[in-house]
């Protein structure tokens, strides 16, 4: 099982206005849960993820976060669910971490939050 480590000090969560969080926000020096996952599994730089809002904007081929649809390349159900949990404003930090940990575990990925 792959382990993804998320530093709480560099983790964007909860929605920002009416939009989703970025995979990496250079102004805040932080990324959403999927930004951390892509950064660690694809071995890309944070700069590569700057201001992108969904995994298909980074990946150019199928990945554990994307799929092909008749209308193009999109996030898969796992990525959509992770974004929904990550950006929710109506749950506690503990609930968010528990829900994301369970979701990633269903996809054979262990999340470890620290700091």
């Amino acid at each position: 099982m792959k382990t993804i480590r998320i530093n709480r000090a560099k983790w964007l969560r909860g929605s920002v206005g009416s939009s989703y969080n970025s995979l990496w926000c250079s102004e805040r020096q932080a990324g959403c849960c999927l930004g951390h996952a892509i950064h660690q599994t694809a071995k890309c730089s944070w700069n590569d993820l700057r201001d992108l809002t969904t995994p298909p904007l980074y990946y150019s081929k199928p990945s554990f976060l994307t799929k092909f649809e008749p209308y193009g390349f999109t996030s898969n159900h796992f990525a959509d669910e992770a974004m929904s949990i990550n950006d929710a404003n109506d749950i506690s930090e503990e609930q968010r971490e528990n829900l994301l940990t369970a979701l990633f575990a269903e996809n054979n990925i262990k999340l470890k939050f620290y700091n």
Side-chain angles (χ1 to χ4, degrees):
M1 181 180 282
K2 175 84 176 145
T3 299
I4 303 295
R5 295 173 41 86
I6 296 180
N7 179 345
R8 290 181 185 98
K10 293 184 177 248
W11 177 30
L12 290 177
R13 56 215 186 261
S15 65
V16 180
S18 61
S19 63
Y20 284 113
N21 283 311
S22 299
L23 296 174
W24 178 253
C25 176
S26 55
E27 293 84 31
R28 295 176 60 190
Q29 292 294 292
C32 70
C33 65
L34 295 181
H36 284 268
I38 294 169
H39 173 69
Q40 292 173 45
T41 59
K43 306 286 190 232
C44 65
S45 75
W46 283 117
N47 220 24
D48 293 338
L49 302 175
R50 188 183 64 229
D51 302 327
L52 301 179
T53 55
T54 62
L57 296 174
Y58 172 75
Y59 287 106
S60 60
K61 60 185 178 192
S63 74
F64 72 106
L65 297 171
T66 56
K67 65 181 178 181
F68 282 111
E69 292 285 342
Y71 49 85
F73 208 36
T74 67
S75 297
N76 62 21
H77 179 71
F78 167 53
D80 287 340
E81 186 66 21
M83 286 186 280
S84 177
I85 294 167
N86 191 86
D87 295 347
N89 283 324
D90 58 348
I91 60 176
S92 70
E93 293 300 304
E94 182 179 4
Q95 288 174 305
R96 186 185 326 276
E97 287 184 17
N98 290 338
L99 289 169
L100 286 171
T101 298
L103 177 65
F104 275 72
E106 289 172 13
N107 290 275
N108 203 31
I109 301 168
K110 179 180 180 180
L111 282 187
K112 181 173 181 163
F113 294 92
Y114 67 99
N115 192 11

